[in-house]
Amino acid sequence: MEEWWSSLGLFMQSVWCITLFASLVFVIQTIMTFIGMDTDGGMDVDVSADTATDGDSGPFQLFTFRNFINFLLGFGWSIISFEKAIENQFVLILVSAVIGVLLVMAVMAIFRFMSRMEQSGTINMANAVGCKGNVYLKIPGEKRGEGKVQISIQGAIREFDALTVGEELETGAPIRVVEVINDNTLLVERF
């Protein structure tokens, strides 16, 4: 090992040190991401995943510690990989810098794609108007009592209390939501 290390020039020794350091930090960041310590709640140090910290889908930050480490990974391992293939040191550094930037862009694109897949799971009750479903528990007519309905809203089937102004709706009757009375109760009619 000593023989190999001493056979390297100062430039390649520096590249190996930077690359191994970046690789170690990358492994630590990855482990922290998987155990949930890359968010504001886990530590006071900002090693978050390139998204805005307030939860919105604002612009991704280019100059972050994570992107710096990703650049060093692409840059360092490219120099090590192409050292024998590219004789000119300036061209080698240039090609490796481009690969480092491409790696940063790829990681940012992956994080952006993953953040778009996120769903809050919160039901917006205004979306219930016009939804169709079925009576789950009989609804007395003329608003004389509540029953239960199951409707498909925002891609999920939910159960709500329901009233109707018309005739009694038996279990299994097809219904349509006419109005949202409150967060748990809907006004429905036969569909």
Side-chain angles (χ1 to χ4, degrees), residues 46 48 50-53 58-64 67 104 108 112:
D46 182 18
S48 64
D50 300 329
T51 58
T53 56
F60 283 69
Q61 297 173 351
L62 179 61
F63 299 106
T64 64
N67 283 347
V104 169
M108 287 179 68
R112 182 168 291 170

Side-chain angles (χ1 to χ4, degrees), residues 11-114:
F11 173 71
M12 284 308 293
Q13 286 178 345
S14 301
V15 168
W16 269 102
C17 288
I18 290 169
T19 305
L20 291 176
F21 170 76
S23 298
L24 176 65
V25 172
F26 177 78
V27 168
I28 291 169
Q29 283 180 333
T30 303
I31 291 169
M32 288 173 58
T33 298
F34 283 119
I35 63 173
M37 292 183 61
D38 70 330
T39 61
D40 291 337
M43 293 179 45
D44 291 329
V45 179
D46 182 18
V47 291
S48 64
D50 300 329
T51 58
T53 56
D54 60 355
D56 67 359
S57 59
F60 283 69
Q61 297 173 351
L62 179 61
F63 299 106
T64 64
F65 184 68
R66 182 178 297 267
N67 283 347
F68 179 67
I69 294 300
N70 290 339
F71 173 79
L72 288 179
L73 277 174
F75 179 74
W77 285 114
S78 296
I79 287 178
I80 292 168
S81 299
F82 297 129
E83 174 196 14
K84 303 285 189 227
I86 302 174
E87 299 282 328
N88 187 331
Q89 192 172 9
F90 175 75
V91 173
L92 177 63
I93 291 172
L94 186 64
V95 167
S96 298
V98 169
I99 291 172
V101 169
L102 289 174
L103 180 62
V104 169
M105 290 171 55
V107 170
M108 287 179 68
I110 290 169
F111 276 111
R112 182 168 291 170
F113 174 74
M114 288 184 348

